[in-house]
Amino acid sequence: MLDCPASERHHGTLDEDETLRYTAPALHVVRVAKKDVEVGGQLVRAGEAVAIWNSSVNRDETVFPDPDRFDLGRTPDRHLTFGIGPHFCLGAPLARAELKVLLQVLAGKVTHLELAGPVERLRSTFMWGIERLPVSLR
């Protein structure tokens, strides 16, 4: 249950970034090394496939202090939910805009949020998500 008067709600610009870091929808991505490289003390040879788990990289304690805490004031919030470099997600600006609008509308209209039934999670090895999330909003 969440009770939060409007005067106490955080209205910073990082709300969507922390939400994306904490709940990255893609569970993992796979990349192939172009050359031999050492990552975290482990040699990855050219041509080898490497899985990058977003839930792990976005909770790296060397990058994010107290990484398992959902912190709307976290700054900087350098998550890799949308990837990086040439593989950066083309849909990232639209996803950020949609999430920002959702959070703004909820923050402006909802002071009480409570589960109203069982949560049904998406059964997938690629995407993290929720099929059903009944809530009561006031």
Side-chain angles (χ1 to χ4, degrees):
M1 176 171 58
L2 171 69
D3 281 302
C4 187
S7 62
E8 295 177 14
R9 283 184 237 145
H10 177 78
H11 294 286
T13 60
L14 300 176
D15 295 355
E16 59 272 7
D17 279 317
E18 181 64 357
T19 301
L20 290 163
R21 181 196 72 83
Y22 199 78
T23 62
L27 293 174
H28 60 82
V29 294
V30 175
R31 298 290 181 253
V32 177
K34 289 186 175 184
K35 61 181 182 179
D36 289 359
V37 63
E38 188 174 309
V39 179
Q42 178 70 41
L43 177 63
V44 178
R45 299 195 183 281
E48 288 183 336
V50 177
I52 294 109
W53 291 88
N54 285 327
S55 58
S56 179
V57 71
N58 282 343
R59 294 189 186 201
D60 181 343
E61 61 275 355
T62 66
V63 178
F64 304 101
D66 199 6
D68 291 326
R69 192 171 116 247
F70 184 71
D71 179 2
L72 293 175
R74 189 180 299 276
T75 182
D77 201 339
R78 297 183 192 153
H79 61 82
L80 296 178
T81 298
F82 295 122
I84 193 168
H87 295 285
F88 190 77
C89 177
L90 290 173
L94 177 59
R96 283 182 197 278
E98 290 175 333
L99 185 55
K100 184 175 186 169
V101 168
L102 171 68
L103 293 173
Q104 286 174 342
V105 168
L106 284 174
K109 296 184 181 285
V110 175
T111 60
H112 178 87
L113 181 136
E114 186 174 354
L115 278 177
V119 177
E120 294 177 20
R121 297 200 179 274
L122 177 66
R123 295 176 58 98
S124 171
T125 58
F126 179 67
M127 297 298 292
W128 183 94
I130 295 175
E131 292 277 354
R132 185 171 181 274
L133 178 64
V135 294
S136 170
L137 305 174
R138 290 194 306 259

